[in-house]
């Protein structure tokens, strides 16, 4: 039999910005579909109108676009920043499928798999309070489940406010066969008769999502593990209609080192904020894809295409995936270093002082700190001393250990003359230049420490910095000599 075309979806609710964990969920669905040439859909689940945030769909699509994760069907944003829908299974904005959901709900009623419920909010609140007071499990008590269907229909036709609930079994078990967790069994007794159509006529997630997944021929439902306990209700709906079940795969959540959930409380966890901070799409994709899954033990760097080829749903870890910020920084450092020099410079330039007009100087500074950066913005703090008109030498001694000031003066004067004698072409080659200076130090019979320490501090006024050779190359001859003169003046005052 021919293999069924794989169709997956990411189905966010437009309630705010895309969470960084949501990117991993998207990525897994995308990789799964694309590896077999299947379809990856983006569906917007906006049936809960009270939680709808205007602009959230646009922001979500923009973020995915920046990351290079593009659905080949469903909701998307075009080059004019307008929301579009592409594909033959639309509409892909769930609220626009309201009538379809209502028709499915009516069918469930006709099949005695759902019923009208007229209980008011007050009654439900009282019921809950009573249950809590008597230490019973809270949940709907099934009052309207027992109504005569003809009577219920009459009340609906008379305009009485109502919802529609699933008529779930009250005994026995149901087993969910999850692609990541294996078989998980639930007791029907503990599962509430779920509302599937609300007072406003909109379907809840449980009906809307299942109906749409079926209508859109979704083969694999990959979603956050918080939905696992609801899966029995979803299986019930599929079975009531006699539909073929999709593969369910519940993805473990992202956790901090202390295993707590990665949530807004730890700062901004929106994917957009990571991009805005300068995390590169390729670093985020590589990092997020490997949270809870790794195709090989001895390799960590993968392109998006390589990940797509290797992705294997069944190999995803069951336990929460540790969101290791240091690891993400490591990936970003790696991908920053892989950039062509021009592209790298474009990324860091906004973080260098705009009033410095010498672009070559800025470029040399950018190159100097390239390997040290996890984020482009870090260059500001690392390089600020190099742009200062003059340095403050009062914090770090220019003298080596307890050696006398006169020695530092002597060494700096010599270093200055060595630099003056160099031609600029030599300066471009740090290694060559370093060898020459070290040779001159040796010829004088001096030590590297007592010569290079004063020189490095003269150029940086920092406890730690790149080597004096690297600093001289980045400063250029003139700026280096100016710094040495300033340091000499400080020592001699
Ligand atoms: N709208 C649901 C959410 O945002 C989607 C869950 C799913 O993928 O089915 O949590």
């Amino acid at each position: 039999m021919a293999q069924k075309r794989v169709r997956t979806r990411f189905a966010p609710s437009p309630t705010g910005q895309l969470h960084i964990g949501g990117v991993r969920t998207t990525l897994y669905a995308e990789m799964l579909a694309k590896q077999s040439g299947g379809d990856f859909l983006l569906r917007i689940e906006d049936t809960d109108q009270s939680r709808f945030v205007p602009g959230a769909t646009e922001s979500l699509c923009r973020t995915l676009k920046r990351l290079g994760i593009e659905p080949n069907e469903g909701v998307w944003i075009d080059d004019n920043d307008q929301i579009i829908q592409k594909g033959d299974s639309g509409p892909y904005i769930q609220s626009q499928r309201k009538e379809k959901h209502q028709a499915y709900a009516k069918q469930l009623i006709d099949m005695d798999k759902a019923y009208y419920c007229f209980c008011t909010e007050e009654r439900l609140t009282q019921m809950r309070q009573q249950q809590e007071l008597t230490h019973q499990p809270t949940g709907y008590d099934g009052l309207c489940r027992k109504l005569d269907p003809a009577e219920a229909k009459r009340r609906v036709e008379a305009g009485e406010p109502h919802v529609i609930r699933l008529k779930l079994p009250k005994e026995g078990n149901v087993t969910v066969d999850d692609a990541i967790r294996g078989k998980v069994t639930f007791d029907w007794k503990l599962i509430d008769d779920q509302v599937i159509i609300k007072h406003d006529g909109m379907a809840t997630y449980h009906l809307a999502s299942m109906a749409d997944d079926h209508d859109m021929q979704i083969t694999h439902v990959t979603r956050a593990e918080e939905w696992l306990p609801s899966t029995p209700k979803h299986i019930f709906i599929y079975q009531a209609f006699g539909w073929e079940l999709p593969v369910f795969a519940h993805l473990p959540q992202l956790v901090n080192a202390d295993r707590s959930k990665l949530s807004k409380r730890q700062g901004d966890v929106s994917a957009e904020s990571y991009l805005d901070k300068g995390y590169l799409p390729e670093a985020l994709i590589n990092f997020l894809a490997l949270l809870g899954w790794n195709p090989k033990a001895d390799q960590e760097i993968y392109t998006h295409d390589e990940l797509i080829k290797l992705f294997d749903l069944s190999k995803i870890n069951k336990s929460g995936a540790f969101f290791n910020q240091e690891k993400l920084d490591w990936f970003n450092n790696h991908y920053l270093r892989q950039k062509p020099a021009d592209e790298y410079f474009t990324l860091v330039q906004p973080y260098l002082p705009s009033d410095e007009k010498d672009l070559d100087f800025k470029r040399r500074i950018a190159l100097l700190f390239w390997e040290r950066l996890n984020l482009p913005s870090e260059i500001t703090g690392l390089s600020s001393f190099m742009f200062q008109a003059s340095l403050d030498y009062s914090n770090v001694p220019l003298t080596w250990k307890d050696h006398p000031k006169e020695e530092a003066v002597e060494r700096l004067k010599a270093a200055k003359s060595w630099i003056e004698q160099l031609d600029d072409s030599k300066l471009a080659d740090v290694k060559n230049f370093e060898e020459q200076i070290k040779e001159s130090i040796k010829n004088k019979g001096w030590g590297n420490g007592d010569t290079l320490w004063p020189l490095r501090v003269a150029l940086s006024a920092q406890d730690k910095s790149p080597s004096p050779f690297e600093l001289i190359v980045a400063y250029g001859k003139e700026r280096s000599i100016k710094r040495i003169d300033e340091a000499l003046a400080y020592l001699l005052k």
Side-chain angles (χ1 to χ4, degrees):
M1 207 175 76
Q3 198 75 37
K4 215 163 150 192
R5 185 179 177 85
V6 173
R7 285 171 63 83
T8 64
R9 87 294 188 280
F10 179 51
S13 302
T15 54
Q17 290 191 317
L18 178 60
H19 186 281
I20 190 79
V23 178
R24 191 186 56 147
T25 310
T26 321
L27 202 53
Y28 284 1
E30 183 238 26
M31 298 197 294
L32 185 62
K34 291 197 176 158
Q35 68 179 186
S36 61
D39 303 310
F40 166 59
L41 287 71
L42 181 65
R43 182 174 72 224
I44 296 295
E45 300 205 323
D46 61 341
T47 58
D48 189 350
Q49 303 276 305
S50 65
R51 293 175 62 222
F52 179 77
V53 174
T57 302
E58 286 81 353
S59 136
L60 210 128
C61 293
R62 256 181 243 127
T63 304
L64 290 179
K65 204 173 201 175
R66 283 176 76 182
L67 286 163
I69 307 176
E70 180 165 348
N72 56 323
E73 197 175 318
V75 176
W76 197 232
I77 193 157
D78 68 10
D79 293 339
N80 301 318
D81 221 27
Q82 297 301 311
I83 290 295
I84 52 163
Q85 299 191 46
K86 45 182 188 176
D88 299 330
S89 304
Y92 299 91
I93 295 181
Q94 204 160 54
S95 58
Q96 296 170 5
R97 303 177 73 88
K98 183 176 176 181
E99 282 76 29
K100 291 182 198 287
H101 302 149
Q102 287 175 336
Y104 279 129
K106 297 237 162 60
Q107 279 187 51
L108 286 169
I109 290 182
D110 291 344
M111 295 187 289
D112 199 29
K113 302 287 184 191
Y115 60 93
Y116 293 110
C117 173
F118 304 91
C119 292
T120 60
E121 267 317 310
E122 297 80 72
R123 176 175 185 273
L124 295 174
T125 310
Q126 264 174 20
M127 178 193 74
R128 215 171 299 119
Q129 284 166 350
Q130 190 60 32
Q131 287 166 339
E132 278 164 9
L133 226 69
T134 52
H135 304 290
Q136 286 171 37
T138 53
Y140 184 56
D141 61 3
L143 181 72
C144 293
R145 195 178 158 114
K146 298 167 213 122
L147 284 178
D148 168 35
E151 157 75 6
K153 208 161 166 222
R154 263 195 305 280
R155 286 170 70 176
V156 168
E157 276 158 11
E160 195 174 330
H162 62 274
V163 299
I164 299 178
R165 288 180 186 273
L166 283 180
K167 198 170 194 175
L168 295 175
K170 287 295 151 216
E171 52 194 32
N173 293 327
V174 51
T175 298
V176 176
D177 195 358
D178 186 88
I180 297 170
R181 292 163 185 275
K183 291 191 170 29
V184 189
T185 299
F186 296 86
D187 189 343
W188 277 122
K189 224 176 22 253
L190 304 174
I191 304 177
D192 220 6
D193 279 354
Q194 178 67 51
V195 173
I196 51 170
I197 299 281
K198 292 174 289 178
H199 284 108
D200 63 1
M202 277 293 186
T204 59
Y205 168 76
H206 306 280
L207 176 61
S209 200
M210 296 315 111
D212 294 353
D213 282 345
H214 168 260
D215 290 356
M216 296 176 187
Q217 295 122 47
I218 297 301
T219 55
H220 295 71
V221 171
T222 47
R223 58 184 181 186
E225 67 180 349
E226 62 185 292
W227 294 111
L228 181 64
S230 296
T231 314
K233 302 176 219 175
H234 305 156
I235 292 179
F236 177 85
I237 294 175
Y238 265 85
Q239 287 177 341
F241 287 111
W243 296 337
E244 189 185 336
L245 281 178
V247 173
F248 285 105
H250 290 93
L251 304 171
Q253 62 186 12
L254 302 187
V255 294
N256 295 300
D258 63 0
R259 320 248 11 118
S260 63
K261 192 173 164 184
L262 192 73
S263 75
K264 289 216 172 95
R265 260 162 279 135
Q266 281 100 32
D268 197 344
V269 284
S270 73
E272 190 155 33
S273 76
Y274 282 90
L275 288 165
D276 290 346
K277 274 185 225 151
Y279 287 100
L280 299 167
E282 48 273 55
L284 284 166
I285 287 192
N286 196 157
F287 168 72
L288 290 167
L290 298 191
L291 284 181
W293 167 73
N294 197 337
K296 295 182 194 143
D298 56 354
Q299 187 184 334
E300 291 191 285
I301 300 295
Y302 297 93
T303 63
H304 194 169
D305 283 342
E306 287 167 341
L307 290 163
I308 290 174
K309 280 200 197 88
L310 294 164
F311 185 63
D312 184 350
L313 201 56
S314 67
K315 299 263 164 63
I316 293 175
N317 258 320
K318 289 185 191 55
S319 53
F322 171 36
F323 189 92
N324 186 343
Q325 181 64 47
E326 281 168 25
K327 194 78 209 212
L328 173 57
D329 288 342
W330 178 86
F331 275 112
N332 215 53
N333 172 281
H334 170 84
Y335 282 104
L336 261 184
R337 284 190 282 120
Q338 300 299 305
K339 290 270 173 216
D342 282 344
E343 223 177 287
Y344 161 72
F345 186 52
T346 309
L347 289 168
V348 295
Q349 210 192 343
Y351 300 101
L352 294 172
S354 55
D355 53 357
E356 173 58 65
K357 301 294 175 216
D358 184 346
L359 221 67
D360 282 340
F361 175 48
K362 280 184 168 177
R363 209 183 153 89
R364 291 197 302 272
I365 290 186
L367 295 178
L368 170 60
F369 292 101
W370 198 348
E371 303 220 329
R372 297 170 175 87
L373 298 184
N374 292 332
L375 288 174
S377 58
E378 288 168 359
I379 199 156
T380 310
L382 288 172
S383 69
S384 67
F385 72 89
M386 299 193 73
F387 293 99
Q388 279 164 27
S390 58
L391 297 179
D392 173 5
Y393 293 110
S394 59
N395 296 322
V396 182
L398 281 153
T399 47
W400 171 243
K401 296 188 173 160
D402 55 356
H403 292 208
K405 192 160 102 176
E406 291 68 28
E407 183 187 275
V409 171
E410 182 188 34
R411 304 297 199 256
L412 284 178
K413 281 186 175 158
K416 183 180 160 184
S417 76
W418 296 331
I419 296 167
E420 276 166 345
Q421 284 158 32
L422 283 169
D423 59 78
D424 275 325
S425 64
K426 288 263 160 37
L427 264 185
D429 179 357
V430 188
K431 270 269 153 279
N432 190 348
F433 170 56
E434 178 170 347
E435 274 162 28
Q436 279 194 40
I437 298 255
K438 285 194 172 155
E439 191 59 33
S440 308
I441 295 173
K442 215 162 112 199
N443 289 343
K444 287 271 193 192
W446 295 340
N448 277 341
D450 53 58
T451 312
L452 298 178
W453 174 269
L455 181 57
R456 197 190 58 73
V457 178
L459 297 164
S460 66
Q462 310 272 315
D463 220 2
K464 289 198 184 82
S465 75
S467 76
F469 314 106
E470 292 174 294
L471 289 174
I472 291 166
V473 169
Y475 272 127
K477 225 161 132 171
E478 207 184 299
R479 290 176 202 259
S480 301
I481 290 171
K482 187 173 164 281
R483 286 283 192 247
I484 297 175
D485 282 339
E486 282 166 30
L488 281 168
Y490 180 84
L491 282 169
L492 295 170
K493 90 175 161 210

